[in-house]
Amino acid sequence: MSGTNPRRRHSPAVYRRRRLVLLIAVIAVVAIVWLLIAQPWSGSASDRRSQSENAPTQQAATELPIPGAAAQTPQAEPAPDAEPTETTSLPTPSAVVCAPEDILVEALSDQDSYGSGQNPQLSIRLTNEGEEDCTLNVGTSTQVFTIASGSDTWWRSTDCQTEPSDMPVLLAAGQAVTSTAPLVWDRTRSSTTTCDDPNRESAPGGGASYHLSVEIGGISSSQSKQLLLY
């Protein structure tokens, strides 16, 4: 008989437990390494801030007021139990006043010719052709629409204008601004004494030619816009 004892053999259950413990240990090590490398908790707040800062912002479009329409500014209601404060005027854009030679003013109409019963719709476009931002008063107090036939002035927007107002705006270099709501000419002759007269003289049609000129901020349109009435 040999003097050595035979090696004790473990049951299959023991081996399964050992393998399970080893597998859990490996998974734990992998998870710790991943957490150290990936760091999923870092940068969440800064990433959100970065996305918020880099997100494109939508700029409000500049709209030219309409001559003859009173400007209406909504009044904000005071918060409950708020102390009354002094009313302050809106800040004026801080930039140099636009030089006339840098501003292109254009007279626009919705059509070139108008049939019987069609009233021309008139608009104005400004373009800052300068290299610097500048300010310009584009309020109704500075706008003049004039329609003439030859040397005969038929209609002027200021003849019956009510409540003119100022509206200083900042025009960025290269920016173009167009009035979104047109001014309608009723195809009659205007004057300061016939604003409420329903029987004002009507402009002849039959293909008669008229020309629209505009002025805003003391700057006149470079060219007139021809209108044909039928």
Side-chain angles (χ1 to χ4, degrees):
M1 178 180 296
S2 172
T4 60
N5 295 325
R7 178 177 295 180
R8 183 180 178 181
R9 298 178 62 85
H10 297 287
S11 66
V14 173
Y15 288 110
R16 286 196 296 271
R17 284 197 296 271
R18 288 180 178 178
R19 285 195 293 268
L20 180 60
V21 171
L22 180 60
L23 179 61
I24 293 174
V26 171
I27 293 175
V29 171
V30 172
I32 292 173
V33 172
W34 178 82
L35 289 174
L36 292 175
I37 296 176
Q39 297 184 359
W41 62 85
S42 65
S44 57
S46 60
D47 289 344
R48 286 193 295 268
R49 286 197 301 269
S50 176
Q51 293 173 0
S52 175
E53 293 173 357
N54 295 330
T57 56
Q58 185 175 9
Q59 299 181 349
T62 301
E63 298 181 0
L64 300 180
I66 308 169
Q72 296 181 352
T73 303
Q75 300 295 326
E77 295 183 359
D81 302 328
E83 292 285 340
T85 58
E86 295 183 1
T87 302
T88 56
S89 59
L90 294 176
T92 301
S94 56
V96 297
V97 177
C98 297
E101 59 269 20
D102 290 336
I103 302 299
L104 174 65
V105 179
E106 298 173 271
L108 307 176
S109 63
D110 62 325
Q111 298 176 190
D112 294 330
S113 61
Y114 299 86
S116 176
Q118 290 184 313
N119 293 332
Q121 300 186 38
L122 318 175
S123 302
I124 186 171
R125 179 164 58 212
L126 305 177
T127 304
N128 180 5
E129 296 187 322
E131 298 181 353
E132 303 292 339
D133 299 351
C134 63
T135 60
L136 186 67
N137 184 359
V138 299
T140 57
S141 61
T142 71
Q143 297 186 35
V144 183
F145 289 71
T146 304
I147 292 181
S149 179
S151 59
D152 184 11
T153 298
W154 263 89
W155 181 84
R156 187 179 288 108
S157 62
T158 54
D159 284 345
C160 299
Q161 185 178 25
T162 59
E163 300 183 28
S165 61
D166 296 331
M167 182 180 171
V169 298
L170 178 65
L171 295 175
Q175 181 183 8
V177 180
T178 304
S179 52
T180 56
L183 184 64
V184 179
W185 176 38
D186 62 359
R187 297 173 62 146
T188 65
R189 184 185 294 276
S190 72
S191 73
T192 57
T193 60
T194 61
C195 295
D196 298 324
D197 186 355
N199 299 314
R200 295 199 303 190
E201 181 183 0
S202 297
S209 174
Y210 299 83
H211 285 80
L212 167 66
S213 299
V214 295
E215 178 183 326
I216 186 167
I219 306 172
S220 301
S221 53
S222 56
Q223 296 180 345
S224 62
K225 177 68 170 63
Q226 185 182 44
L227 311 175
L228 299 177
L229 299 188
Y230 290 92

